[in-house]
Amino acid sequence: MTHPAAADLIARSNRLGSDPKNTNYAGGNTSAKGTETDPVTGQPVELVWVKGSGGDLGTLTEQGLAVLRLDRMRALVDVYPGLEREDEMVAAFDYCLHGKGGAAPSIDTAMHGLVDAPHVDHLHPDSGIAVATAADGQELTSTIFGDKVVWVPWRRPGFQLGLDIAEIKEKNPQAIGCILGGHGITAWGETSDEAERASLWIIDTAAAYIAEHSRPEPFGPPLAGYAPLPQAERRAKAAALGATIRGIASQDRPMVGHFTDTGEVLDFLASSEHPRLGALGTSCPDHFLRTKVKPLVLDLPSDAPVEDCVARLKELAVAYREDYQAYYDRHATPESPAIRGADPLIVLVPGVGMFSFGKDKQTARVAGEFYVNAINVMRGAEGLSTYAPIDEAEKFRIEYWALEEAKLQRMPKPKPLATRVALVTGAAGGIGKATAKKLAAEGACVVIADLSLEKAQAAAAEIGGSDVAVGVAADVSDEDAVQAMVDAAVLAFGGVDLVVNNAGLSLSKSLMDTTAADWDLQHNVMAKGSFLVSKATAKVMVEQEMGGDIVYISSKNSVFAGPNNIAYSATKADQAHQVRLLAAELGAHGIKVNGVNPDGVVQGSGIFASGWGANRAAVYGVEENDLGKFYAQRTILRREVLPENIANAVFVLCGPDMTHTTGLHVPVDAGVAAAFLR
């Protein structure tokens, strides 16, 4: 049974963490103290429950709490070796843990255990950080809050900061919390409700003061030519620039992207002070650990042609990498972790919006959210005073902190297709849906494309949330629709790396019964459709300069001559040769092109369900329900081919073990000798 103090803590944390005005995703930590019976001695023992390392307040559960014995944690004060060795104290927290399971204690555990209050909140609200990063933040703290909130000069999170805040609490009994210079806020209370009220009072009081006293144009007057483009224009320009920008952000390691064109971002970029403020970078450690110390900002007006933007972005990318390397070299010591990459994680394009990047979609999206937080912080600080983030050396100490490096090293090994963006056509059911599920399960972000938007979105929802899969409508025989589909993929995930040409249909008719319309329909969807999809996605891959994969779901019928199948088999042969042609052409860009030749995939097949199955059953003289078994019995292996078998073949072709294979067709037909490739 959950201890009442822990239950109150979880409820308070979820309320605070669910409102972005209070803190950002995975930002801040909360705690509660209480007494429980020690199962070893049978005696009461004081405990502190504190949000563990890496957890999120809004979704915190009991498993996300670290539980420590308070007497042992506070006894660490007697062995504290001083500021130069304070990092050693984090390992000591493990010797204070109570019970089994639970989360790893975070760096802020000392703050919660040493402060003499039953309930403590440490949060990163935009309004609080605005005061914390103002040049005269100490004076503003006194003006805004009186003696109820105390200013704490910047100090890196750790044991010493916990000692400092504990002393402030002791010396200021009237105080309900403090502003941590350059960082955030801490509040406390005798009860969980009292701590929550204290946190919210600090946040809301700061926000109200900023709203009342801020200058009318905190970011300066509008910058001529930098106003936001109309929505349709800016999103079209974002799609046109997305692949280039993702390539810029992925020179050291592949990244997934996220696009944001919220009012905060567009207003910031339309104002005259945005170049100065962008160069100053973020301040709160949670912010710059997600966004790097500063963004790459395109210095061209909103209506600059795409070609000019691409050229300038590439120039700025070189300068950004050189600048970041110089930043690392200025501050690195022989003990510092190796540089983690010099690419930007935030790219700002005036009139268009913000591109953010990370190891997966969630990380990329959250990085963008954090930079919006940083914009709000800068607006508040500039409105009251001057934005003055912590200095560069302190940012480096945190970014390349040994404890931060250790946390990164503990991260689970990425899945084989992590960072890859897959686009699967005809993916609302059958082979396409099975393939999309497989690719997502192996770590890819997936765009589900289908004629029916409703079905595409339903399939995407089944696979996962929007950080994993999105559904889009696409008629692959329509060039404009194909381009819109690819643009949607770029805006959703930053680009495209892996394309599966699966959309198809079939009409089982003899030569004499096949009309020109039948022929055109099948060739438009499969031969022309896969050509259009390959052309549009290959353009993105070339611009990204990250290589890629294109896979055609062809058919055994591309090489096997069967009855009553002229239009379908001919278009499958067309697709099969497209594989060879594109493999030869796109290899210079690191793009592999391969095919899969299925046969007899009856289960879950939209083609078979739409009449093809009944026709083929009639041709072979079997019941339609027995068609899968019939196909199995005519194969060498006597096995029915399922959509998942095709999906597995696609994964193998695109996975880490087939990096040197292109132009290959893989039969997945359980063995049909007449379709053996020669």
Side-chain angles (χ1 to χ4, degrees):
M1 181 180 293
T2 303
H3 190 283
D8 287 346
L9 169 63
I10 292 167
R12 177 174 98 242
S13 302
N14 293 162
R15 287 192 298 270
L16 290 170
S18 64
D19 190 339
K21 81 175 177 65
N22 299 329
T23 200
N24 34 43
Y25 176 81
N29 30 73
T30 51
S31 67
K33 301 178 181 75
T35 302
E36 195 167 65
T37 300
D38 188 325
V40 176
T41 66
Q43 299 299 311
V45 59
E46 283 191 281
L47 302 176
V48 57
W49 290 264
V50 59
K51 191 205 83 170
S53 178
D56 171 55
L57 290 175
T59 55
L60 183 66
T61 64
E62 190 170 6
Q63 290 69 39
L65 296 173
V67 189
L68 299 88
R69 283 185 51 149
L70 199 56
D71 59 343
R72 292 181 65 82
M73 215 227 81
R74 287 179 171 171
L76 293 176
V77 173
D78 298 329
V79 296
Y80 175 47
L83 189 59
E84 293 303 314
R85 294 171 54 193
E86 71 168 339
D87 289 359
E88 298 172 20
M89 304 306 290
V90 175
F93 293 151
D94 290 342
Y95 295 93
C96 305
L97 293 171
H98 176 78
K100 59 183 181 180
S106 77
I107 188 66
D108 285 317
T109 298
M111 178 194 304
H112 293 275
L114 298 179
V115 170
D116 186 19
H119 297 268
V120 179
D121 296 335
H122 169 59
L123 303 170
H124 300 147
D126 295 347
S127 62
I129 305 174
V131 177
T133 56
D136 53 351
Q138 184 169 2
E139 293 78 10
L140 281 170
T141 298
S142 177
T143 300
I144 297 170
F145 307 106
D147 63 357
K148 291 181 68 175
V149 178
V150 182
W151 173 263
V152 181
W154 160 260
R155 187 184 292 281
R156 188 175 66 162
F159 202 85
Q160 186 61 54
L161 181 59
L163 287 170
D164 292 349
I165 297 177
E167 183 179 5
I168 284 171
K169 167 72 169 62
E170 181 181 359
K171 291 182 176 179
N172 296 272
Q174 80 290 345
I176 63 168
C178 52
I179 296 288
L180 310 183
H183 186 165
I185 74 167
T186 296
W188 46 77
E190 289 298 313
T191 66
S192 184
D193 287 345
E194 187 177 313
E196 185 174 358
R197 284 196 300 270
S199 293
L200 294 176
W201 184 83
I202 295 172
I203 294 166
D204 294 341
T205 300
Y209 187 89
I210 292 169
E212 183 178 353
H213 294 89
S214 178
R215 289 193 293 270
E217 294 180 327
F219 292 146
L223 188 59
Y226 282 68
L229 295 171
Q231 184 181 44
E233 284 185 46
R234 67 174 180 263
R235 294 186 76 81
K237 190 171 182 180
L241 294 173
T244 294
I245 293 174
R246 184 176 180 225
I248 285 170
S250 301
Q251 292 185 56
D252 289 313
R253 59 184 62 86
M255 290 285 180
V256 176
H258 176 73
F259 174 69
T260 306
D261 60 350
T262 62
E264 294 96 332
V265 173
L266 295 171
D267 177 61
F268 177 66
L269 293 172
S271 302
S272 58
E273 293 299 315
H274 86 261
R276 173 182 66 85
L277 294 168
L280 288 174
T282 53
S283 184
C284 176
D286 264 21
H287 291 182
F288 61 75
L289 285 173
R290 300 271 191 167
T291 66
K292 269 202 166 76
V293 290
K294 60 184 177 181
L296 185 157
V297 185
L298 179 63
D299 53 0
L300 292 178
S302 303
D303 62 354
V306 168
E307 296 77 13
D308 292 354
C309 293
V310 167
R312 183 58 178 153
L313 282 164
K314 290 181 177 180
E315 293 173 354
L316 291 170
V318 173
Y320 187 97
R321 289 177 59 83
E322 291 173 349
D323 182 69
Y324 188 85
Q325 182 68 57
Y327 154 77
Y328 179 86
D329 293 341
R330 278 194 299 275
H331 303 292
T333 68
E335 293 74 34
S336 297
I339 190 170
R340 297 195 193 100
D343 299 328
L345 294 179
I346 302 292
V347 178
L348 302 173
V349 179
V352 175
M354 170 175 61
F355 298 82
S356 54
F357 296 91
K359 62 184 178 63
D360 52 36
K361 171 66 174 187
Q362 183 195 52
T363 306
R365 174 177 53 78
V366 169
E369 292 171 1
F370 273 56
Y371 199 78
V372 171
N373 290 134
I375 290 173
N376 292 335
V377 166
M378 289 186 279
R379 179 186 292 107
E382 287 283 307
L384 298 180
S385 174
T386 302
Y387 175 62
I390 62 174
D391 68 31
E392 181 183 276
E394 285 299 300
K395 290 180 182 180
F396 183 87
R397 287 183 68 212
I398 290 177
E399 186 177 1
Y400 285 93
W401 200 354
L403 295 176
E404 182 65 25
E405 180 69 13
K407 185 164 73 173
L408 292 173
Q409 293 301 324
R410 291 195 300 268
M411 298 290 286
K413 183 180 178 182
K415 294 181 178 180
L417 298 182
T419 75
R420 304 202 74 190
V421 180
L423 189 159
V424 185
T425 65
I431 291 172
K433 186 176 180 181
T435 300
K437 282 185 174 181
K438 176 65 175 179
L439 299 178
E442 297 295 345
C445 299
V446 184
V447 178
I448 308 289
D450 201 87
L451 264 177
S452 166
L453 177 61
E454 183 180 359
K455 291 180 180 179
Q457 291 176 335
E462 184 179 330
I463 291 171
S466 59
D467 286 342
V468 176
V470 297
V472 300
D475 176 355
V476 297
S477 68
D478 182 321
E479 188 168 12
D480 290 338
V482 167
Q483 188 59 55
M485 172 188 71
V486 175
D487 288 350
V490 172
L491 292 178
F493 298 117
V496 179
D497 306 297
L498 195 168
V499 178
V500 182
N501 275 310
N502 172 71
L505 77 161
S506 184
L507 303 172
S508 177
K509 293 184 179 181
S510 68
L511 171 65
M512 299 306 176
D513 290 334
T514 300
T515 67
D518 294 334
W519 179 274
D520 289 343
L521 176 61
Q522 294 192 82
H523 279 72
N524 281 342
V525 172
M526 291 183 286
K528 177 185 175 184
S530 55
F531 154 71
L532 291 175
V533 172
S534 295
K535 180 180 179 181
T537 54
K539 181 176 185 294
V540 171
M541 294 182 198
V542 170
E543 290 172 354
Q544 289 175 159
E545 299 181 348
M546 297 166 62
D549 281 278
I550 300 175
V551 179
Y552 280 65
I553 306 301
S554 183
S555 171
K556 173 247 343 183
N557 289 324
S558 66
V559 292
F560 173 82
N564 298 338
N565 213 5
I566 177 64
Y568 178 80
S569 295
T571 196
K572 284 299 181 183
D574 185 315
Q575 285 186 309
H577 199 47
Q578 284 186 38
V579 168
R580 293 181 280 267
L581 293 167
L582 297 187
E585 182 173 340
L586 297 176
H589 301 285
I591 300 170
K592 297 156 49 214
V593 187
N594 294 291
V596 178
N597 288 351
D599 181 46
V601 184
V602 177
Q603 291 191 31
S605 169
I607 287 178
F608 278 91
S610 63
W612 170 262
N615 286 328
R616 301 316 291 169
V619 167
Y620 294 117
V622 299
E623 294 294 323
E624 185 176 359
N625 290 339
D626 296 328
L627 189 58
K629 295 176 183 177
F630 169 78
Y631 282 140
Q633 291 307 308
R634 73 182 188 181
T635 69
I636 295 170
L637 297 176
R638 301 292 193 270
R639 297 173 185 168
E640 184 174 356
V641 181
L642 303 175
E644 290 74 19
N645 303 134
I646 316 306
N648 291 339
V650 173
F651 167 64
V652 169
L653 287 169
C654 302
D657 298 325
M658 295 283 276
T659 59
H660 290 57
T661 299
T662 192
L664 174 69
H665 279 279
V666 178
V668 185
D669 55 13
V672 177
F676 282 176
L677 297 173
R678 292 171 172 82

